[in-house]
PDB file of all heavy atoms in Angstrom:
ATOM      1  N   TYR A 341     -46.021 -74.849-131.127  1.00  0.00           N
ATOM      2  CA  TYR A 341     -45.124 -75.209-132.226  1.00  0.00           C
ATOM      3  C   TYR A 341     -43.689 -75.206-131.711  1.00  0.00           C
ATOM      4  O   TYR A 341     -43.397 -74.715-130.620  1.00  0.00           O
ATOM      5  CB  TYR A 341     -45.273 -74.224-133.392  1.00  0.00           C
ATOM      6  CG  TYR A 341     -46.599 -74.325-134.109  1.00  0.00           C
ATOM      7  CD1 TYR A 341     -47.739 -73.697-133.595  1.00  0.00           C
ATOM      8  CD2 TYR A 341     -46.723 -75.047-135.288  1.00  0.00           C
ATOM      9  CE1 TYR A 341     -48.960 -73.785-134.250  1.00  0.00           C
ATOM     10  CE2 TYR A 341     -47.948 -75.146-135.949  1.00  0.00           C
ATOM     11  CZ  TYR A 341     -49.053 -74.512-135.427  1.00  0.00           C
ATOM     12  OH  TYR A 341     -50.260 -74.606-136.063  1.00  0.00           O
ATOM     13  N   ARG A 342     -42.800 -75.713-132.527  1.00  0.00           N
ATOM     14  CA  ARG A 342     -41.379 -75.691-132.180  1.00  0.00           C
ATOM     15  C   ARG A 342     -40.736 -74.450-132.785  1.00  0.00           C
ATOM     16  O   ARG A 342     -40.025 -74.523-133.788  1.00  0.00           O
ATOM     17  CB  ARG A 342     -40.681 -76.958-132.660  1.00  0.00           C
ATOM     18  CG  ARG A 342     -41.118 -78.211-131.915  1.00  0.00           C
ATOM     19  CD  ARG A 342     -40.312 -79.420-132.362  1.00  0.00           C
ATOM     20  NE  ARG A 342     -40.688 -80.609-131.613  1.00  0.00           N
ATOM     21  CZ  ARG A 342     -40.178 -80.957-130.439  1.00  0.00           C
ATOM     22  NH1 ARG A 342     -39.251 -80.207-129.887  1.00  0.00           N
ATOM     23  NH2 ARG A 342     -40.581 -82.058-129.834  1.00  0.00           N
ATOM     24  N   GLY A 343     -41.054 -73.314-132.205  1.00  0.00           N
ATOM     25  CA  GLY A 343     -40.491 -72.061-132.674  1.00  0.00           C
ATOM     26  C   GLY A 343     -41.533 -71.149-133.294  1.00  0.00           C
ATOM     27  O   GLY A 343     -42.632 -71.576-133.662  1.00  0.00           O
ATOM     28  N   SER A 344     -41.166 -69.861-133.431  1.00  0.00           N
ATOM     29  CA  SER A 344     -42.099 -68.868-133.946  1.00  0.00           C
ATOM     30  C   SER A 344     -42.311 -68.987-135.446  1.00  0.00           C
ATOM     31  O   SER A 344     -43.380 -68.628-135.957  1.00  0.00           O
ATOM     32  CB  SER A 344     -41.609 -67.457-133.599  1.00  0.00           C
ATOM     33  OG  SER A 344     -40.315 -67.235-134.119  1.00  0.00           O
ATOM     34  N   ALA A 345     -41.313 -69.498-136.190  1.00  0.00           N
ATOM     35  CA  ALA A 345     -41.450 -69.597-137.649  1.00  0.00           C
ATOM     36  C   ALA A 345     -42.554 -70.572-138.057  1.00  0.00           C
ATOM     37  O   ALA A 345     -43.444 -70.204-138.828  1.00  0.00           O
ATOM     38  CB  ALA A 345     -40.116 -69.987-138.282  1.00  0.00           C
ATOM     39  N   PRO A 346     -42.560 -71.820-137.560  1.00  0.00           N
ATOM     40  CA  PRO A 346     -43.667 -72.709-137.936  1.00  0.00           C
ATOM     41  C   PRO A 346     -45.017 -72.246-137.410  1.00  0.00           C
ATOM     42  O   PRO A 346     -46.047 -72.479-138.049  1.00  0.00           O
ATOM     43  CB  PRO A 346     -43.268 -74.062-137.343  1.00  0.00           C
ATOM     44  CG  PRO A 346     -42.248 -73.766-136.301  1.00  0.00           C
ATOM     45  CD  PRO A 346     -41.540 -72.533-136.766  1.00  0.00           C
ATOM     46  N   ALA A 347     -45.014 -71.566-136.276  1.00  0.00           N
ATOM     47  CA  ALA A 347     -46.274 -71.017-135.761  1.00  0.00           C
ATOM     48  C   ALA A 347     -46.819 -69.963-136.723  1.00  0.00           C
ATOM     49  O   ALA A 347     -48.022 -69.926-137.011  1.00  0.00           O
ATOM     50  CB  ALA A 347     -46.056 -70.415-134.371  1.00  0.00           C
ATOM     51  N   ALA A 348     -45.922 -69.113-137.239  1.00  0.00           N
ATOM     52  CA  ALA A 348     -46.347 -68.073-138.174  1.00  0.00           C
ATOM     53  C   ALA A 348     -46.857 -68.677-139.484  1.00  0.00           C
ATOM     54  O   ALA A 348     -47.831 -68.187-140.069  1.00  0.00           O
ATOM     55  CB  ALA A 348     -45.188 -67.110-138.449  1.00  0.00           C
ATOM     56  N   VAL A 349     -46.202 -69.752-139.929  1.00  0.00           N
ATOM     57  CA  VAL A 349     -46.614 -70.402-141.181  1.00  0.00           C
ATOM     58  C   VAL A 349     -48.056 -70.883-141.092  1.00  0.00           C
ATOM     59  O   VAL A 349     -48.874 -70.650-141.995  1.00  0.00           O
ATOM     60  CB  VAL A 349     -45.674 -71.583-141.522  1.00  0.00           C
ATOM     61  CG1 VAL A 349     -46.264 -72.443-142.640  1.00  0.00           C
ATOM     62  CG2 VAL A 349     -44.304 -71.069-141.922  1.00  0.00           C
ATOM     63  N   ASP A 350     -48.407 -71.544-139.996  1.00  0.00           N
ATOM     64  CA  ASP A 350     -49.769 -72.066-139.856  1.00  0.00           C
ATOM     65  C   ASP A 350     -50.787 -70.964-139.601  1.00  0.00           C
ATOM     66  O   ASP A 350     -51.955 -71.087-139.991  1.00  0.00           O
ATOM     67  CB  ASP A 350     -49.822 -73.115-138.747  1.00  0.00           C
ATOM     68  CG  ASP A 350     -49.560 -74.524-139.280  1.00  0.00           C
ATOM     69  OD1 ASP A 350     -49.099 -74.623-140.434  1.00  0.00           O
ATOM     70  OD2 ASP A 350     -49.806 -75.496-138.552  1.00  0.00           O
ATOM     71  N   LEU A 351     -50.362 -69.877-138.945  1.00  0.00           N
ATOM     72  CA  LEU A 351     -51.272 -68.742-138.754  1.00  0.00           C
ATOM     73  C   LEU A 351     -51.582 -68.092-140.101  1.00  0.00           C
ATOM     74  O   LEU A 351     -52.743 -67.796-140.409  1.00  0.00           O
ATOM     75  CB  LEU A 351     -50.656 -67.720-137.796  1.00  0.00           C
ATOM     76  CG  LEU A 351     -51.476 -66.457-137.530  1.00  0.00           C
ATOM     77  CD1 LEU A 351     -52.841 -66.790-136.951  1.00  0.00           C
ATOM     78  CD2 LEU A 351     -50.707 -65.512-136.596  1.00  0.00           C
TER      79      LEU A 351
END
Side-chain angles (χ1 to χ4, degrees):
Y341 291 81
R342 292 184 178 274
S344 58
V349 168
D350 270 13
L351 178 59

